[in-house]
Amino acid sequence: MRIAVIFGTRPEAIKLAPVINELKKHHDVLVVSSGQHKELVRPVINFFGIFPNVELSGINKNRTLSELASFLIKELDTVFKKHLPELVVVQGDTMTAFVSSFVAFLNKIPVAHVEAGLRTYDKYSPFPEEMMRRMIGNLADIHFVPTEIDRENLLEEKVDPSRIFLVGNTVVDALKCSISTLSKEKVYSELSAFGIGENILENGKLVFITSHRRENIGKPLEEICDAVKDLAVKYPEITFIWSLHLNPDVRRTVKKVINGEIKNIHLIEPISYESTVYLIDRAFLVLTDSGGLQEECASLGKPVLILRKVTERSLVVSSGAGFLVGSDKERISYYFEKFLGDRDFYMKVSNRGKGLFGDGKSSKKIRMILETFFKYKETTDFSKKEERGLFIN
């Protein structure tokens, strides 16, 4: 089979890397990088060895979402017409994933959606991701869902149940690969550039922070910064490491509120996936509005305070592995101090997330299902999955 696997952002690249490497063992894989977040994607490409056959270029850094969509429609249409893939694989909820699915549909190419079925049912939260994944759901031919909740979401939307496959989340595959090959020396070297020494990393109590959601930009992000500042002043023995997003509005706000006066807060540039995994694994607690980090924290047994009002990773919250705190200073402080002062509570929360997102074999399951799909691609009825070697678990 000739399969086009397309990514444009760092989370897409991370979660599709194990899929690409699994598919390459058996098939002709066309790896396409859309250039949506070119700077952040390159280290992931190098780490996992998923070097693109096609890299789109020419995206203006200051482009609007509409301009990005227009650019991708034209460029991806050219790619599909030139390389003629038999299947397009996309991941998640980005503009790259949506446009790839849309252009594949226009060219009558089947679409497989990895990490399907996630929903908040709030049109503007997260924006624009919620509507991206809903539209991909309408375009996709095969839906690979991470959890039972995601499968139920698609069933509620009348998606053909024979096209939905519960495979877990490929982020666990990526984590296992990263942890098995992680080089502490490289991590120490990278983080030392930001004044974070080996002694702090090995012996200190760490809090890892990220925030980039559009709905947090402005006053909510200022409130999050204020909460972090207050905690850092109150607990000078704890090191707070905040990985800044490249979005200039995010950077401006964080640097304005956290201006370097508090010595145990380190504002650092975006770091490699290897160092990110290390910091999550070493952290006492993670504060983030990232979707992927919620899954990674749960899988690594790290409590997470979710800096959002709603999350499509609802299993993290319903299982008690993480807590929605938004930008509420009181809630952030309450859970922070609860984790700090109640060891039993901390351990219970740490253990709740393990295994929520699968066993690290999602990529192999996806590959086997796709092979069976192509074996029976002339047949539209997939209801007799067992007879055709398809499986859900």
Side-chain angles (χ1 to χ4, degrees), residues 102 257 275 308 381:
F102 177 60
V257 180
S275 291
R308 296 165 61 177
D381 179 14

Side-chain angles (χ1 to χ4, degrees), residues 49-117:
I50 51 168
F51 302 105
N53 305 99
V54 177
E55 286 189 89
L56 304 184
S57 59
I59 295 180
N60 188 322
K61 289 184 179 180
N62 299 316
R63 80 288 185 268
T64 65
L65 290 173
S66 300
E67 289 167 341
L68 174 61
S70 177
F71 170 84
L72 291 176
I73 288 172
K74 179 180 178 182
E75 294 296 320
L76 289 172
D77 189 59
T78 300
V79 170
F80 293 162
K81 283 180 167 57
K82 178 180 179 180
H83 295 278
L84 302 175
E86 299 170 76
L87 176 76
V88 169
V89 178
V90 301
Q91 193 280 332
D93 50 22
T94 69
M95 185 65 78
T96 291
F98 165 63
V99 173
S100 299
S101 303
F102 177 60
V103 176
F105 163 72
L106 294 179
N107 285 274
K108 295 186 178 180
I109 304 170
V111 174
H113 186 199
V114 177
E115 198 179 81

Side-chain angles (χ1 to χ4, degrees), residues 117-133:
L118 280 65
R119 300 289 186 269
T120 64
Y121 292 108
D122 181 337
K123 186 175 182 178
Y124 294 109
S125 184
F127 174 82
E129 289 83 4
E130 175 66 11
M131 290 308 298
M132 294 288 119
R133 54 177 165 253

